[in-house]
Amino acid sequence: MFSMLVHGLQSIFPRQSRCMNAALFHFSAVCKAEDVVSVQKAKISKAMKAYLERAKEHESCMETARLEYQLGKRHLANMIGADVENFTQQDIDQAVQYLFPSGLYDPAARPTMKPPEEFIPKTKGAEFDETGRPFHTLFYTGRPNFFQLLFDIVENINKLNALEDATRLKGKSLESAGKALDTTGSEWLPKELLEKKIVETISDIEYENFVSAMNRLVSHPLSERVKGFLIEYRKPLISKLENDTIPTPLHDTDGRQYVTIYECLRKTARADVTVKFPGSGKIEVNGQDLRSVGNVQQREQVLFPLLFTNMNGRVDISANVSGGGPSSQAGAVRWGIAMALRSFVDAEQIARMRVAGLLTRDYRRRERKKPGQAGARRKYTWKKR
């Protein structure tokens, strides 16, 4: 229709025919472009359509989670009486711990409030174009990210080997080009974390191949050159826990060394224990001599750390304990004595105490009674008639 109109106007206005030809060409080009776009849309593969639908659903879920997180953050800040705009994640963690105290031992079971990016698993991006052709050259391996990681490891090894050869040919020492990376205090990412990082699942054999290749790379004399790549796949070790920090002894008015351990826990019992060195072996619990407290078994529990470390009769102990029963109180005092004795024995003795379980806190609790049962595990007697 448009072309017929242009031809009619050309017959009436011949001088303006050049401009009209240009308009006709532009119109035809636009039509061809629209045809190309429509053809491209029609050529979108089923896999691409499925991916676009999944990506749209995931982004909708993430957006809803982000809005809920921001709303919860505002409510939490108002409950605490803090400024919403300056309410950081650290403030959120402290507020949750204050408002919802939990005595659960496993941190994963405690109430938390984190951004959705931290707990919603990542999804893979598009691995192919609209026509279904894969972007990655290793797509048909089934795990392109993992095999690309192995390829990068080999590439780094080859680069370091080439650098080593060039340095030796120049007659220089390897120390001038670099040194081996010190990986003390860290370990390779475990299989679960590696799978999250590459957003792919791998087998145990493939994970062993990854660790073997990484060990070969880190053992290279110039591995510090690729420190950034290696650190990306290492996880720091928890070398010292809070309980492993040995307190420094203080001195009382008599010049004797002493150490006080607070928050000695066992079930619902709470104790604080003070150990003084040197001493005569005097042990007091709540101001009473140990010989008049509890029964034989509970007194043996208190004395066990002293007998194990050969410190019986060489220190004085004063303990204050409350809550719980006699058994839990004896366990709390025993743990406090063992933790305090670390300041007066050598490292070898501390290692023996750790192996014996004296430095391990007992987090066991009494199991609750279940409804419909006689106790936590005990059932009522079943009668057929």
Side-chain angles (χ1 to χ4, degrees):
M1 187 70 180
F2 181 77
S3 60
M4 294 175 61
L5 179 61
V6 170
H7 286 303
L9 291 175
Q10 283 179 345
S11 61
I12 300 173
F13 305 100
R15 293 183 179 180
Q16 285 77 16
S17 61
R18 183 178 299 175
C19 295
M20 293 181 182
N21 288 332
L24 180 61
F25 175 77
H26 177 72
F27 176 76
S28 61
V30 171
C31 292
K32 289 180 179 179
E34 292 178 353
D35 293 341
V36 170
V37 172
S38 62
V39 170
Q40 287 179 348
K41 288 183 178 179
K43 285 185 178 180
I44 294 179
S45 63
K46 294 182 179 180
M48 190 62 182
K49 289 181 181 178
Y51 164 75
L52 292 175
E53 292 176 0
R54 291 196 304 268
K56 186 176 179 180
E57 293 176 358
H58 181 266
E59 185 58 32
S60 175
C61 176
M62 290 293 293
E63 188 63 27
T64 303
R66 292 190 192 101
L67 292 175
E68 292 177 351
Y69 172 75
Q70 293 297 332
L71 182 62
K73 177 181 175 181
R74 297 184 69 88
H75 285 318
L76 196 60
N78 292 331
M79 293 170 66
I80 296 297
D83 184 13
V84 178
E85 303 300 330
N86 300 323
F87 205 57
T88 62
Q89 184 60 43
Q90 184 178 1
D91 298 332
I92 292 175
D93 296 338
Q94 293 177 354
V96 170
Q97 186 178 2
Y98 174 74
L99 294 173
F100 307 100
S102 175
L104 298 173
Y105 172 57
D106 190 357
R110 298 172 185 170
T112 58
M113 181 178 173
K114 301 290 184 182
E117 289 78 11
E118 294 190 18
F119 61 88
I120 296 181
K122 294 182 180 179
T123 58
K124 269 191 172 183
E127 299 182 89
F128 33 77
D129 57 14
E130 295 178 348
T131 61
R133 294 182 178 180
F135 294 132
H136 207 287
T137 56
L138 301 173
F139 172 78
Y140 291 105
T141 61
R143 286 176 290 278
N145 294 340
F146 173 72
F147 287 104
Q148 181 64 45
L149 173 58
L150 297 182
F151 178 81
D152 293 339
I153 296 173
V154 175
E155 282 291 301
N156 285 318
I157 293 175
N158 292 335
K159 288 179 182 179
L160 295 181
N161 288 336
L163 178 60
E164 181 182 6
D165 294 340
T167 305
R168 293 185 185 278
L169 286 175
K170 292 179 181 179
K172 298 181 180 180
S173 61
L174 288 179
E175 287 75 10
S176 61
K179 59 182 180 179
L181 180 65
D182 184 13
T183 57
T184 305
S186 62
E187 63 179 356
W188 298 118
L189 289 178
K191 182 172 176 285
E192 295 76 14
L193 294 182
L194 181 63
E195 289 177 339
K196 288 183 179 179
K197 185 174 181 61
I198 62 177
V199 202
E200 292 175 353
T201 57
I202 58 176
S203 64
D204 294 337
I205 297 178
E206 289 171 338
Y207 177 72
E208 292 176 2
N209 293 337
F210 160 76
V211 173
S212 176
M214 278 296 199
N215 287 332
R216 181 181 174 187
L217 176 59
V218 79
S219 62
H220 197 279
L222 301 178
S223 59
E224 197 175 30
R225 287 271 186 164
V226 291
K227 179 180 179 181
F229 176 77
L230 292 170
I231 293 300
E232 188 178 354
Y233 295 95
R234 291 196 70 84
K235 172 188 174 184
L237 290 170
I238 304 177
S239 57
K240 286 190 177 182
L241 301 175
E242 183 180 354
N243 290 341
D244 290 340
T245 305
I246 300 176
T248 303
L250 303 177
H251 294 81
D252 59 6
T253 56
D254 299 333
R256 293 193 300 173
Q257 296 179 344
Y258 73 94
V259 171
T260 302
I261 303 296
Y262 299 95
E263 288 298 315
C264 305
L265 312 179
R266 176 69 183 100
K267 292 186 178 179
T268 57
R270 301 292 182 270
D272 58 86
V273 179
T274 301
V275 176
K276 294 184 178 182
F277 179 82
S280 58
K282 183 179 179 181
I283 302 176
E284 292 184 351
V285 179
N286 290 337
Q288 299 180 5
D289 190 83
L290 181 63
R291 288 172 291 185
S292 60
V293 176
N295 54 31
V296 176
Q297 182 180 5
Q298 292 153 10
R299 289 194 290 268
E300 288 179 350
Q301 286 288 312
V302 175
L303 289 173
F304 181 69
L306 299 172
L307 299 175
F308 187 85
T309 57
N310 296 322
M311 295 292 288
N312 190 23
R314 300 172 58 188
V315 294
D316 290 340
I317 298 174
S318 175
N320 297 312
V321 60
S322 62
S327 178
S328 61
Q329 289 185 356
V333 174
R334 166 189 159 169
W335 185 83
I337 293 174
M339 296 298 288
L341 287 176
R342 296 175 304 161
S343 302
F344 307 110
V345 297
D346 54 12
E348 183 179 354
Q349 190 68 263
I350 295 176
R352 292 180 63 246
M353 293 171 65
R354 183 175 288 106
V355 172
L358 288 172
L359 305 181
T360 303
R361 178 169 282 175
D362 192 347
Y363 286 96
R364 291 178 298 173
R365 297 290 184 272
R366 182 180 184 274
E367 189 175 351
R368 64 179 289 271
K369 178 188 177 298
K370 310 300 189 302
Q373 298 180 185
R377 303 290 179 89
R378 184 178 178 82
K379 309 297 190 297
Y380 292 118
T381 303
W382 181 80
K383 294 182 181 180
K384 186 176 181 180
R385 292 181 180 86

